Structure formats: C-alpha cells, structure tokens
Amino acid sequence: MKAWPLVICLSLCLVGLPAAQAQTNDEILAALDKRVKRAAKENGPSVVCIHVSRSPAYHKAPWGTPPNLEYAGDLGMFDAEAARKKVAEHPQRERLSNAIADHDLSDPKVVPESFGSGLVVDDSGLILTNYHVVKGATKLYVRLPGKGGSWANIHAGDPRSDLAVLKLLTPPAGLKALEVGDGGTVREGQFLLTLCNAYTPGFRKGDAPEISSGQVVALRQTPPDAKLAESELHKPTLHHYGTLLQVDAKLAPGCSGGVLVDLDGKAVGLTSALVAVTGDRPGGFAIPFDAGTRRIIDVLKRGEEVEYGFLGVVLDRADFLGMRQNGVRLSRVAPGSPAGRAGFVGGDVIISVDGKPVRNHSDLLLHVGMGLAGNTVQVEARRGINVVRNKVKLGKFFYPGPILAAKRAPARFGLRVDHSSILNQRNPFPGLRLLPEGVVIREVIPGSPADAALLQPDKLVTHVNGKQVTSPAEYNAALAKIGKSVTLTIVNPEGQSDDITLNEK
C-alpha cells in the first residue's frame, strides 16, 4: 500500500526549519498522516476488484447457456460444478473440464482476461465503474474486500459518459456505499488520494485497494484520444468536450473505476487508467463527481438509459474555429426544436445555461447534454443590445451507441417510443416545416397489435385516446391508465394524421 508519497514530499519541504517551527510542522504532519489513514480506512472497504471475461464459451454447448437476447447486460452466474456435470460423459470431458476451470472467475487462482476497479454506490449491491471496463463482457465477477465476491450483471451502461453500474447477484451483508462528495469544487493543486486495484501481486484476491496520492494538475481536460474526435457535434464521449481532472498520481492498469478521495474522506471522482495504456500524458485522469455526473449516475442506478439534452440549433462556424470565447452564436434554429419552441432564433448568442457560463461550443454542448432530456433549463442569450432569458424543455440528443439498461418501459400493444427531437437530428430541416409535438415510434414488436396495424418506426404519435402527449414519460403514463384498447393519433413524415385503434388480446 502506498499512502506515503504526499507525506514524504511535504517532509522534504520542512527540512532545515528552526526547532520551534519544526515542532509545529511535526504536528501538521501527524494530523495529515491521521487524515490520510482515516480516508483510506473509510473508503477502502467500498472499493472492489472487477474480473472480466469476454469469452463466447459461456454461451456455447456443451456446458454453456444461451445469452439473454432481450437484454445483453443480463450476464448471469457461472456454476462451474454444474458445467462439469454436463460434460461428465462427453468424449472430451478432460479438455472441457480444464476449460471450465479456466473460465471460473470466482476462483482466485484464475487470471481474468481483463480487470478493473469499482465503487459500492448502494448498500443493496450496486457497483459504479467505467463503461470501458465492462464493455463486451460475457461474465463479470466482483471481489469485495473481506467479503468474498459475487457474480454481477450490467445494471445499466452508458458509453458516452464512460460510466456503468453493475448489480451484484448475491450481494453480501454489510455492504457500505461510498459517501460521494462534490467533485465540482476540486481545484488545481489540490492534494487527493487514489484507491484502486492496480495490476500488482495479489490483486486477484481483492483484499484491499492500493493507495496513492498526488495533486490535481489541470481541470476540464480531454481524454488521451481526443485527437481522434473529428466531429464537433458527435464526439465519442462527453469527456471530449473537456470534463476530466488530470492528476499526477500514477494510475496503472486496473485503476479504471477506482476512487479519487479528498483529505476529508469524500469521493470526488472516478479514476481512469486509459492514459497508462496510451502513454499520451503523464499521470492519470478522473471523472469528477460534479452535479452533472451525479445526475447521470442516479439514472444508471435506476437501471435506465441516460438521455442527453438537445437544443436543435446550428452553431456559427466561428465558434468551432475558436474565434469567439464569449458566447456561442446560433446560425440557425431548427423548426419544431426545443430551442425554436422556446423562442430562440438565428443570430442569438448564447452566454449561459442554468447560470453556467458558455464561452465556446464545448461549454454549450456539455451543459445542454448533461441537463438531460425532458428537463427544463434556463438559457440566456444576447440578441443585439438586449439579453433574452427563456426556459427550454430539452429534447433528446440522438446517440447511435448501444443502449444498455435493465429497466425499459413496457411495450404496450407492441410499441416503444422515444423523444420526437431525434427526428430533427436525422433530418434537421424537413422542408422548414414545424413538426407537431409528440413522441416518435422507436420499436415495433413483431407479431404485436402494432405490427398487425402496420405501424413503423419514425412515425409520430401525438395523442393517446385524444389526449396530447409530448414526451415518452407522458405517453407511458397515459398507457398505464387504460385497458385493453387504445386509439393513437399517428402523424407520418409528410404531416398527415390518422387515428389507429389497437387491441390487446
């Protein structure tokens, strides 16, 4: 365990001071030592080691089970003994038994294909980690300090924030969730601790996390691969707009999903070891637990999809070229978009979102995105010599990445719907015509009443039994109150409407 670099560094600075002052500094060091140990003791039991396999063997005969086609995050447990019984009479039982042993992540002797760290964020057995740690996993096993381990499902995962929440299938008693602090208050030069399960001897047991320390080097940083992000509007992650803390603490492989802790013992960020792989910059990075990140984590803890906010505007090219640093000028506003409905027009210069200053396009896209779809934010803009402040109900940003969420709305009558704002993004200016408010059909279940009625994705639903709906939440709430029959008002891309009645058997 490495809890001492910070103390040693400060000690060297105190060498040669007068005896009276040294006495005072000895007391300071003792107090600092006490705080470091307390922070490690309070947070260490909540830092776990995640063993990851991406092997397809778990789903192959003779000892595998088919994957859950309904939800890819339902990975389930692996019973090695039951698998051995399945192949007991197989001609190649010895080879298969060896393969089974190699895939039993619950065995401390087995070296996992990959691994990472995670944080207990709910006493019921919810674990926060980086999405890249569990991406493509076929089996997950989580080791908890002093509490054994548990197989886990991916409760919800979000590639855009690089965050995922796992759900332990057999959570042990006495789990303690981390106390999350405000990562938005972290400042450059601040001393912090890191706790994670680095790739060191004994890491597979997950007995205790490794402790290191360092300072915050910079705020609002981009990931090591930022140069790969060519599209300004569709960058790979939120962090490519500049969200990360850069620290000089060494984060080795395995430290993705660890915790960044202040000297008050509060968790202020989630560490990432990607820089250790790329070698792009010294030190490491962490996702700060600021208000926006905590909002995303709350959605993932509920097992739901993270839906990012969307305005529906085209930005002036000067903003992308970095020629303006005091606001973002709107070149155009899409008809029917959230910004258009709120009264914004081309030429407006947005200067803040919910009180957070907007200096450039990255600020705007970040603040709007992390506002999340369906929420209302106040947008402030300059219009000539005047300042305009309008409330905007955010639409949903269309993100083509995979959706990994255990909790989904029921497909009543064979339909699932989405925010209509995704139509603006697929075809931003459909004849410069204002589309009616509603929800867009996202999914039609084969063989369902909706399928029989020839309903198709991308058509708009504006009313349920004559009552207008403007969001998926309103649509699902309306369907929850009705019986076996419903009449939906459907609008096609040409603007023509029709009432369709669906009946459940």
Side-chain angles (χ1 to χ4, degrees), residues 185-252:
T185 63
V186 173
R187 294 294 176 260
E188 291 183 2
Q190 184 172 344
F191 288 101
L192 298 170
L193 305 177
T194 64
L195 285 81
C196 56
N197 287 284
Y199 185 62
T200 55
F203 85 94
R204 295 197 300 274
K205 295 181 180 180
D207 290 337
E210 180 176 303
I211 306 170
S212 187
S213 62
Q215 290 178 277
V216 178
V217 176
L219 309 175
R220 293 290 307 266
Q221 296 299 292
T222 57
D225 65 345
K227 59 190 176 188
L228 302 178
E230 298 179 356
S231 169
E232 294 295 341
L233 286 174
H234 294 84
K235 292 187 175 181
T237 72
L238 282 177
H239 311 303
H240 288 80
Y241 296 114
T243 64
L244 300 175
L245 302 174
Q246 186 176 359
V247 295
D248 60 10
K250 181 180 179 181
L251 296 176

Side-chain angles (χ1 to χ4, degrees), residues 3 30 103 124 127 147 158 184 188 191 241 343 369 419 495:
H103 285 77
S124 66
I127 308 296
K147 296 182 182 296
D158 178 49
E188 291 183 2
F191 288 101
Y241 296 114
H419 293 265

Side-chain angles (χ1 to χ4, degrees), residues 303-320:
E304 299 173 356
E305 174 191 358
V306 180
E307 299 180 322
Y308 291 95
F310 169 76
L311 276 181
V313 298
V314 177
L315 307 184
D316 193 288
R317 180 171 173 78
D319 294 294
F320 289 120

Side-chain angles (χ1 to χ4, degrees), residues 242-303:
T243 64
L244 300 175
L245 302 174
Q246 186 176 359
V247 295
D248 60 10
K250 181 180 179 181
L251 296 176
C255 285
S256 286
V259 65
L260 199 64
V261 180
D262 65 20
L263 291 180
D264 290 325
K266 300 291 181 63
V268 294
L270 190 77
T271 60
S272 173
L274 286 179
V275 70
V277 178
T278 64
D280 182 81
R281 278 171 266 180
F285 293 100
I287 301 171
F289 290 149
D290 55 20
T293 300
R294 294 198 304 271
R295 194 179 301 124
I296 291 170
I297 293 171
D298 287 341
V299 174
L300 296 174
K301 287 170 65 176
R302 296 196 299 267

Side-chain angles (χ1 to χ4, degrees), residues 342 344 351-352 378-382 387-392:
F344 288 102
I351 55 178
S352 75
Q378 179 169 280
V379 177
E380 185 178 32
R382 292 195 303 269
V387 174
V388 179
R389 298 179 182 87
N390 293 335
K391 295 284 188 180
V392 182

Side-chain angles (χ1 to χ4, degrees), residues 471-482:
S471 69
E474 291 181 3
Y475 171 88
N476 292 321
L479 260 64
K481 299 177 182 178
I482 65 176

Side-chain angles (χ1 to χ4, degrees), residues 411-415 445 447-455 465 475 479 482-488 499-505:
R412 288 290 308 274
F413 304 96
L415 282 180
I445 307 300
S448 67
D451 188 32
L454 303 180
L455 293 182
N465 285 347
Y475 171 88
L479 260 64
I482 65 176
K484 298 290 186 179
S485 179
V486 65
T487 298
L488 304 178
D499 288 338
I500 304 292
T501 299
L502 305 177
N503 298 291
E504 288 181 330
K505 296 181 181 179

